[in-house]
Amino acid sequence: MANSHPQTVPELMEFLRTTNPTSPRLIWYGPGQERIELSGKVLDNWVSKTCNLLVDELDAEPGLIVNLALPPHWKSLIWALATWQVGCTVRTPGAADVERSQVLATVSADASTLEKGPGTPVAVALGALETSWSGALPASSLDYAAEVRAHGDVFFLQGQGEGQDTALMGRGTPQTFDDLLPADAPAVATTLLQANEEQLDAVLSGALRIWSGGGCLVLASPAVDVTDRLLANERVSARPVLP
């Protein structure tokens, strides 16, 4: 790369899987007291599998929209990175309305959202030990947890989003693919973000900034009591307040 830090999402994924690939890049503290740690290599593996699911099962192609109707969660980050890597647009709750025909899939952990949302419903089980959707799947839904592991560990890039194409539609101004990665990426260590359901956009932007700077993101559910011991154990050096 001509620059010293990633400029696109595919470059970011290459960076994560090749630069200190076994170092922690994403640590999730969930409401059930679970702690999940993903290295750069494992993070890339999950994204690659999700990219292949998007292409093989949903016929994803640049320009289509994925409704990401999930709370801030490690799987939300996987879905956003995969959506961008296949050239699609991430649309988060609170974004402006779009034509239903433009939406490839609605990704959610909520059955009513899946039943009402446009596109193919993708049911995402968020529990740490859930390997499939619990209970009856909404009609025509794809069970992400049950299906994703069958897909390939490597994603071979096909069509990508153009720089000025819309990459993120959220509560604020839409961002293009050129806008996603920061122009400057100062070195970042371990940063903790704790976010509510309305702050997914900020978490996505924060994660890209942290990873571009070579750091590790510790993401905590609002239900988690972030103690001094937790901060010390994870060697957290920054804890910014999200907008």
Side-chain angles (χ1 to χ4, degrees):
M1 290 180 287
N3 295 282
S4 59
H5 59 273
Q7 298 292 295
T8 66
V9 170
E11 287 181 1
L12 175 64
M13 299 315 303
E14 179 183 2
F15 172 76
L16 292 174
R17 68 174 173 264
T18 59
T19 304
N20 300 322
T22 60
S23 296
R25 295 296 187 184
L26 174 58
I27 298 170
W28 163 250
Y29 279 89
Q33 306 304 312
E34 70 267 28
R35 178 189 182 277
I36 296 174
E37 178 179 311
L38 282 71
S39 67
K41 182 178 180 180
V42 173
L43 178 59
D44 176 71
N45 181 260
W46 272 95
V47 172
S48 294
K49 284 180 174 293
T50 306
C51 286
N52 285 316
L53 180 148
L54 276 163
V55 172
D56 297 342
E57 303 289 341
L58 302 176
D59 297 323
E61 58 184 38
L64 295 174
I65 296 169
V66 172
N67 272 346
L68 191 57
L70 290 172
H73 188 277
W74 72 269
K75 289 183 180 178
S76 308
L77 292 166
I78 297 295
W79 265 96
L81 290 169
T83 299
W84 289 325
Q85 187 151 248
V86 301
C88 292
T89 302
V90 170
R91 180 175 177 269
T92 61
D97 292 338
V98 295
E99 293 291 335
R100 292 178 69 91
S101 61
Q102 295 178 287
V103 179
L104 175 68
T106 291
V107 181
S108 183
D110 178 72
S112 62
T113 299
L114 293 168
E115 290 169 354
K116 298 174 185 176
T120 300
V122 181
V124 179
L126 297 180
L129 301 178
E130 291 183 288
T131 57
S132 64
W133 181 264
S134 61
L137 276 172
S140 304
S141 292
L142 187 154
D143 186 344
Y144 174 69
E147 298 287 342
V148 69
R149 287 176 173 81
H151 289 272
D153 294 341
V154 178
F155 176 66
F156 297 98
L157 284 175
Q158 301 170 30
Q160 299 182 48
E162 298 294 331
Q164 291 303 306
D165 290 346
T166 300
L168 177 61
M169 300 176 64
R171 295 178 182 276
T173 303
Q175 294 183 40
T176 67
F177 281 92
D178 281 346
D179 295 330
L180 282 180
L181 278 293
D184 296 309
V188 177
T190 301
T191 301
L192 184 139
L193 300 179
Q194 190 167 29
N196 61 43
E197 292 194 2
E198 296 184 351
Q199 294 175 308
L200 179 57
D201 297 1
V203 168
L204 296 178
S205 297
L208 293 174
R209 184 173 60 256
I210 292 162
W211 291 329
S212 294
C216 172
L217 166 62
V218 178
L219 180 61
S221 161
V224 171
D225 181 17
V226 179
T227 63
D228 290 341
R229 181 177 180 181
L230 185 155
L231 296 173
N233 287 344
E234 301 296 355
R235 300 182 181 178
V236 171
S237 58
R239 189 184 177 184
V241 176
L242 293 174

